[in-house]
Amino acid sequence: NTGDGTEVELPFVEAVNGDNGYDISKLRAATGNVTLDEAFGNTASCRSEITFIDGEEGILRYRGYPIEQLAEQCSFVEVMWLVIYGELPTKEQVEKFEDELVHNMFLDERMRDLFRCFPRQSHPMPVLSAGICALSTFNRNHVGLGAEDVEIATRKLLAQVPTLAAYAYKNSKGQPFLYPKYDLSYVENFIRLAFGTPAEGYQFDESITQGLNALLVLHADHEQNCSTSTVRMVGSSQANLYVSVASGVNALSGPLHGGANQSVLEMLAAIRDQGIDPKDYLEQVKAKKAGIKLMGFGHRVYKNFDPRAAIIKKYADEILSKSPNGDKELLSIAKRLEEIALEDEYFVSRKLYPNVDFYSGLIYEAMGFPVEMFTVLFAVGRLPGWIAQWREHNADPKARISRPRQIYVGHDKRDVVP
Ligand code: MLT
């Protein structure tokens, strides 16, 4: 009811957002949707063209392309382009883009001092976040919202976050930094900067490079998860792209978000070390025994298999069968847990399926990555998604500052008694 007696049919989103030519205050008054409108506008935080998830079916697509096709057939650099610009690049476009990124991986030399001032054992995530904020000061002439500045910031971040991530790790180990090399790909440069040494460089293993490429693709975006909605929210105040992305890194550093694969690894190791039969472990989970949880199962949006988990499982088999670092015993415990849980009514009726974190930690470990790098790898993977989401928000002429709605549950009015 438009408020003057006429009835029209409007899609719900348009009706509550008021972008339909009708007087929104009259619409609200007539439909009584005031509460719903405020809640919708503030908590269903955005419309987005970037990532589609169907949690019931277990479907994930970037810009319409199924994740399994992208992970099998595309480089991470192609997927970055897709996520940020909306289309897959041509061969020429991607070659030029990757070349430009690799040539821009060098950091301003003064950034080295920034790293040196952190204590040796600092976790790489806060160091990475500080490094990204610092990038905004080194690029202070291009932190505006205009198209050119946003493009410069996009390219700088894509080129330099892997270098920052690698140096944050090197710093935590007290090892010297390496310079990027023009004849290596983007992903190869990241691996070498993180794990190479000045004396020996880095011995590349094709299966590790390919596996990491696929894992980065699988993590490139996941719509409004905790870190991405943080980037969008910070960006909604028109804070620049650098500091908004740093906020995403901070959100990701929490154990419930980026640290979940580490908890899976710890659970599997505990099952092995304590000699627990996987079936008995699941019985303890069902009995809700204190401290016993099935980590890496279930997801806020997936009520089915997380499509990323199925792809990752394949890489886990491939990489662990070749790697001297991989813990095959932990992989077989993981598979056994999955097998039993998927046949158990308790887990099936609760729609508890493996998520992306269930196998990723095992693979990273097999690739030789230490545990403190797991979230850093997630951040490098999620970077294009954060950038794309920030850009999408700020390109919308109707974009407003985000402000989640609060329901006040505190005291009624009370008086200070003199
Ligand atoms: C992610 O990829 O960000 C995680 O699966 C968490 C989420 O989507 O909520």
Side-chain angles (χ1 to χ4, degrees):
N1 185 322
T2 60
D4 55 12
T6 327
E7 282 191 1
V8 288
E9 263 187 37
L10 294 171
F12 176 73
V13 176
E14 282 185 22
V16 297
N17 277 348
D19 45 1
N20 44 47
Y22 293 101
D23 179 336
I24 188 65
S25 56
K26 281 190 185 165
L27 270 180
R28 285 174 178 173
T31 58
N33 264 350
V34 177
T35 311
L36 190 54
D37 174 18
E38 296 304 319
F40 183 85
N42 290 299
T43 60
S45 54
C46 63
R47 309 174 191 206
S48 179
E49 294 181 0
I50 303 167
T51 292
F52 171 79
I53 298 179
D54 181 334
E56 294 299 322
E57 298 294 327
I59 296 172
L60 169 60
R61 297 185 200 127
Y62 301 155
R63 305 280 189 183
Y65 292 99
I67 190 75
E68 45 284 354
Q69 291 178 19
L70 295 171
E72 290 278 326
Q73 297 173 43
C74 296
S75 73
F76 180 48
V77 176
E78 281 173 293
V79 170
M80 278 178 184
W81 180 288
L82 170 70
V83 168
I84 296 172
Y85 302 113
E87 296 297 334
L88 277 169
T90 61
K91 193 168 172 295
E92 221 174 44
Q93 279 171 328
V94 76
E95 280 173 7
K96 197 161 161 258
F97 184 49
E98 182 150 14
D99 195 53
E100 182 194 326
L101 295 181
V102 167
H103 277 76
N104 278 290
M105 284 179 127
F106 286 85
L107 299 180
D108 188 298
E109 281 297 312
R110 287 166 293 176
M111 293 280 278
R112 288 176 174 254
D113 295 330
L114 176 83
F115 286 104
R116 284 198 192 100
C117 78
F118 289 106
R120 263 293 140 75
Q121 262 97 41
S122 302
H123 193 284
M125 282 299 265
V127 177
L128 173 63
S129 159
I132 295 174
C133 281
L135 283 186
S136 77
T137 68
F138 285 98
N139 295 286
R140 64 187 172 283
N141 296 329
H142 299 287
V143 289
L145 290 188
E148 198 192 333
D149 280 355
V150 170
E151 202 47 48
I152 291 173
T154 298
R155 307 279 170 125
K156 286 271 180 208
L157 281 163
L158 292 174
Q160 297 185 349
V161 164
T163 317
L164 289 170
Y167 287 3
Y169 172 64
K170 284 283 185 213
N171 182 69
S172 73
K173 294 280 158 205
Q175 292 170 359
F177 300 158
L178 278 76
Y179 286 110
K181 285 180 84 172
Y182 294 154
D183 58 342
L184 296 178
S185 73
Y186 179 84
V187 173
E188 284 170 338
N189 258 303
F190 171 56
I191 298 177
R192 181 179 159 278
L193 290 177
F195 301 107
T197 60
E200 289 162 25
Y202 183 81
Q203 279 314 104
F204 283 100
D205 172 332
E206 195 49 29
S207 69
I208 293 185
T209 314
Q210 273 179 11
L212 184 61
N213 184 79
L215 281 158
L216 294 171
V217 167
L218 294 178
H219 284 88
D221 194 49
H222 208 244
E223 53 120 292
Q224 302 315 306
N225 56 79
C226 176
S227 56
T228 304
S229 52
T230 299
V231 172
R232 261 188 111 113
M233 173 172 276
V234 175
S236 81
S237 73
Q238 301 192 342
N240 72 54
L241 186 54
Y242 300 97
V243 297
S244 304
V245 164
S247 308
V249 170
N250 295 340
L252 185 66
S253 71
L256 291 184
H257 194 1
N261 49 12
Q262 180 178 342
S263 322
V264 173
L265 220 51
E266 286 161 4
M267 171 192 75
L268 296 173
I271 294 176
R272 179 198 52 202
D273 298 346
Q274 293 165 33
I276 309 173
D277 185 282
K279 201 167 176 21
D280 294 340
Y281 188 82
L282 291 173
E283 288 306 321
Q284 293 179 26
V285 172
K286 283 156 66 175
K288 298 192 172 34
K289 193 170 162 202
I292 302 289
K293 284 210 168 108
L294 183 52
M295 307 308 296
F297 260 63
H299 191 281
R300 276 285 276 277
V301 285
Y302 293 116
K303 302 294 167 247
N304 204 320
F305 223 90
D306 176 340
R308 300 169 297 177
I311 302 168
I312 280 193
K313 189 175 165 188
K314 210 184 78 198
Y315 282 100
D317 275 328
E318 257 173 53
I319 292 171
L320 268 86
S321 66
K322 289 187 203 146
S323 158
N325 303 312
D327 198 324
K328 296 179 190 73
E329 200 182 340
L330 294 194
L331 178 62
S332 65
I333 295 174
K335 285 183 170 173
R336 188 82 191 108
L337 286 171
E338 179 187 319
E339 195 183 14
I340 304 167
L342 295 185
E343 281 175 4
D344 189 318
E345 188 45 29
Y346 177 92
F347 297 99
V348 175
S349 65
R350 286 170 176 74
K351 302 189 190 302
L352 294 171
Y353 294 89
N355 64 42
V356 70
D357 304 311
F358 194 62
Y359 290 106
S360 61
L362 279 168
I363 303 181
Y364 291 147
E365 192 184 49
M367 287 174 163
F369 290 112
V371 168
E372 67 268 29
M373 272 301 272
F374 290 4
T375 30
V376 175
L377 294 166
F378 197 150
V380 173
R382 189 53 54 86
L383 180 65
W386 289 333
I387 294 175
Q389 300 267 353
W390 185 100
R391 289 174 60 128
E392 186 178 62
H393 179 92
N394 280 303
D396 179 355
K398 289 197 199 130
R400 294 190 300 167
I401 186 165
S402 302
R403 197 176 189 296
R405 182 168 180 265
Q406 171 194 287
I407 296 172
Y408 177 71
V409 291
H411 288 283
D412 279 344
K413 178 182 178 283
R414 49 187 177 157
D415 296 314
V416 176
V417 181

